[in-house]
Amino acid sequence: MTARTKVKQALETGKAGSTILVKGWARTVRNSKEVTFISLNDGSCLSGIQVVVEPDLANYEVITGIGTGSALAVTGLLQESPAAGQALELKAQQIEVVGGADQEYPMQKKRHTFEYLRTIAHLRVRSNTFGAVFRVRSALAQEVHRFFAERGFLYVHTPIITGNDCEGAGELFRVTTLDLAHPPLVDGAIDFSRDFFATATGLTVSGQLEGELFAQAFSDIYTFGPTFRAENSNTARHAAEFWMIEPEMAFADLADDADLAEAFFKRLCRFALDNCGEDMNFFNTQIDKGLIQRIEAVAQASFARMDYGEAIERLKKAPVSFQFPVEWGLDLQSEHERYLTEQVVGGPVFIINYPKDIKAFYMRQNDDGKTVAAMDLLVPKVGEIIGGSQREERLELLEQRMLETGIAPESLSWYLDTRRWGSTPHAGFGLGFERLIMYLTGMENIRDVIPFPRTPRHAEF
């Protein structure tokens, strides 16, 4: 019995004159009087292989009647193709219809909008665009692990269900087994002591706090897993469920943090260019012209570093008007970030030392009493892509900051313990994986780079 050959393998290393078996789905079926052409794709690469079916095939009449989307097993002879754009084609000797598809198959040969394709997310992956997106996503996920493994980082699976809110934003999805129609009450409030975990719990917004615990034993660690935000936002950059990459390093300061972030981001850019060529060329021609040139520039760049105070001064002097105000103490908006990276620096830039009042409680306070050792990496076209900080390792200052921000220190006693016993300067950052995929593919909506998007009022599939 002939072993199956993937289409990618057949096109890259196949030899004319060899007999192979390929299995996949018919993207197009073109019938003429003398011959039928089928474009067969199995997801292994962007290109399909052209199957040439002649009338002497035993079940030729059946094959000419198959619909787009049908699953086929084709045994045939590889031969040089006279058609432009492909070196090899497959002359069919035997075709088995594994699974038919009728005319109601919603992925007929025409251009579908991304909005429509989101409504059939279970089938959109058979299209060129989404095939390319998810091949790149898979390859990059594997490269993330290789990058950290090469540097001796420990991979930590941090909890998905948690009793803490890392960002202090209160945007958690509640996890409960209580009867929502008749919850137990104490003084008019829900009695979570009678819930499954005997406390109020939610889906995690970040693995950082737990990651810090592991960094205080293993020095260098990272998490890479799903995170959740119950934020009622319908922008193209927000999803309720997404994946985060979060390294944490003991005995490290903000400069070390930026060094790692720069090496990491450049590595992923280089990897996409060097190892996902066919798909990246597709994005460059069909989705975002100039994409490859922009990513190549980032991969080769030396990332600048600019203090938040200087950034504010540069923005104030900008010969353009911004929609949002520019003042020391206010957070930077996307329009400000893009101006800094695209117009002021002309490349990637870390903005460092933000006002403490606009940043999270765990960030290390600088000696000026006004700022914290925080950093955001800004890149052309999207603005912020990575956010991180040196963490506050001094117990008294951390407790004081928690009280200032309305967080009860006793609720995070386990977190504070690491500051009591063997505390070290440590730092880390977070990179939203979907934001990375958007940047490297040119896709402009986060819903189109995650397999099954979760957004307000949408949880299909």
Side-chain angles (χ1 to χ4, degrees):
M1 183 177 178
T2 307
R4 178 189 179 190
T5 300
K6 290 289 184 76
V7 169
K8 179 182 175 72
Q9 181 185 351
L11 294 176
E12 290 183 353
T13 62
K15 290 182 170 54
S18 60
T19 299
I20 64 170
L21 166 64
V22 294
K23 299 180 180 181
W25 294 267
R27 287 281 178 85
T28 60
V29 181
R30 292 185 290 121
N31 293 315
S32 65
K33 282 185 178 180
E34 300 298 325
V35 68
T36 291
F37 296 102
I38 300 172
S39 177
L40 198 73
N41 188 286
D42 64 1
S44 60
C45 61
L46 183 70
S47 305
I49 190 167
Q50 177 165 278
V51 178
V52 182
V53 190
E54 297 182 341
D56 58 357
L57 191 77
N59 57 344
Y60 183 73
E61 294 300 322
V62 173
I63 298 307
T64 57
I66 66 169
T68 301
S70 297
L72 306 175
V74 183
T75 301
L77 185 70
L78 269 180
Q79 57 187 23
E80 292 182 2
S81 175
Q86 55 189 13
L88 295 170
E89 62 185 19
L90 189 64
K91 182 181 179 182
Q93 297 168 332
Q94 180 181 335
I95 299 180
E96 176 192 355
V97 181
V98 179
D102 59 27
Q103 294 304 309
E104 293 183 9
Y105 176 64
M107 296 283 294
Q108 299 297 332
K109 184 173 172 57
K110 64 177 182 177
R111 194 170 186 86
H112 299 291
T113 66
F114 290 158
E115 289 79 9
Y116 168 72
L117 290 173
R118 280 177 218 133
T119 69
I120 53 168
H122 55 308
L123 296 172
R124 67 176 180 171
V125 288
R126 298 191 197 180
S127 68
N128 283 340
T129 299
F130 290 96
V133 165
F134 293 116
R135 275 188 298 272
V136 169
R137 182 182 173 112
S138 173
L140 284 168
Q142 295 173 60
E143 185 65 6
V144 166
H145 291 296
R146 278 191 291 268
F147 174 88
F148 288 114
E150 288 171 9
R151 285 161 175 74
F153 278 64
L154 184 85
Y155 178 33
V156 183
H157 296 132
T158 51
I160 290 174
I161 300 174
T162 178
N164 70 77
D165 175 6
C166 175
E167 299 296 331
E171 295 168 343
L172 275 77
F173 285 101
R174 186 64 60 205
V175 174
T176 181
T177 58
L178 294 176
D179 180 353
L180 298 183
H182 305 285
L185 302 176
V186 174
D187 298 328
I190 294 177
D191 181 8
F192 284 106
S193 69
R194 295 171 63 182
D195 205 348
F196 187 91
F197 294 106
T199 188
T201 55
L203 298 178
T204 185
V205 300
S206 168
Q208 178 200 316
L209 300 189
E210 294 89 351
E212 286 187 52
L213 308 186
F214 268 67
Q216 296 307 312
F218 296 95
S219 295
D220 297 327
I221 69 94
Y222 73 104
T223 75
F224 184 5
T227 51
F228 308 84
R229 298 279 167 90
E231 184 178 357
N232 189 16
S233 174
N234 281 292
T235 77
R237 289 167 59 86
H238 288 89
E241 175 184 288
F242 54 98
W243 285 65
M244 283 282 285
I245 304 157
E246 298 176 289
E248 203 72 34
M249 298 176 290
F251 308 103
D253 60 16
L254 189 65
D256 298 319
D257 204 24
D259 288 344
L260 181 73
E262 178 173 346
F264 181 50
F265 196 73
K266 288 163 74 169
R267 166 77 169 263
L268 295 176
C269 289
R270 185 80 265 151
F271 176 83
L273 293 170
D274 293 347
N275 295 275
C276 305
E278 185 186 30
D279 291 324
M280 293 299 290
N281 285 328
F282 170 82
F283 293 125
N284 191 63
T285 57
Q286 299 295 326
I287 304 297
D288 182 3
K289 290 177 174 56
L291 173 76
I292 287 179
Q293 182 180 359
R294 187 172 66 250
I295 295 173
E296 185 71 56
V298 170
Q300 297 179 12
S302 177
F303 292 14
R305 302 186 188 187
M306 182 186 300
D307 195 85
Y308 167 88
E310 180 185 346
I312 292 297
E313 291 306 311
R314 295 286 193 105
L315 290 167
K316 283 185 172 182
K317 295 175 182 176
V320 297
S321 58
F322 296 110
Q323 178 184 353
F324 293 93
V326 176
E327 288 295 338
W328 198 99
L330 298 179
D331 209 354
L332 300 178
Q333 303 297 320
S334 291
E335 59 175 345
H336 306 142
E337 295 167 346
R338 289 191 59 179
Y339 181 83
L340 290 168
T341 181
E342 294 169 9
Q343 305 301 322
V344 175
V345 176
V349 56
F350 287 102
I351 305 299
I352 60 174
N353 299 323
Y354 281 79
K356 70 176 184 178
D357 291 339
I358 61 172
K359 289 297 183 180
F361 74 93
Y362 51 74
M363 297 187 178
R364 193 182 200 275
Q365 297 178 58
N366 290 327
D367 293 340
D368 60 13
K370 299 189 300 181
T371 63
V372 289
M375 67 168 199
D376 284 341
L377 172 60
L378 314 182
V379 291
K381 196 183 180 196
V382 300
E384 183 202 343
I385 192 94
I386 287 177
S389 72
Q390 185 173 341
R391 318 308 190 189
E392 182 56 82
E393 85 279 11
R394 297 163 293 185
L395 178 62
E396 290 183 3
L397 288 175
L398 181 58
E399 287 180 323
Q400 174 189 334
R401 189 77 184 115
M402 291 171 74
L403 291 170
E404 288 175 3
T405 55
I407 299 173
E410 57 271 17
S411 69
L412 289 174
S413 59
W414 49 270
Y415 183 68
L416 295 173
D417 279 349
T418 59
R419 274 67 172 178
R420 291 189 178 93
W421 303 309
S423 184
T424 70
H426 59 288
F429 63 79
L431 169 61
F433 192 46
E434 284 72 28
R435 295 271 180 95
L436 170 72
I437 305 300
M438 290 170 68
Y439 184 74
L440 293 178
T441 63
M443 298 294 285
E444 294 191 340
N445 196 311
I446 195 170
R447 296 168 178 84
D448 297 328
V449 296
I450 193 166
F452 300 101
R454 300 291 180 247
T455 55
R457 291 171 293 284
H458 291 97
E460 298 92 345
F461 314 109

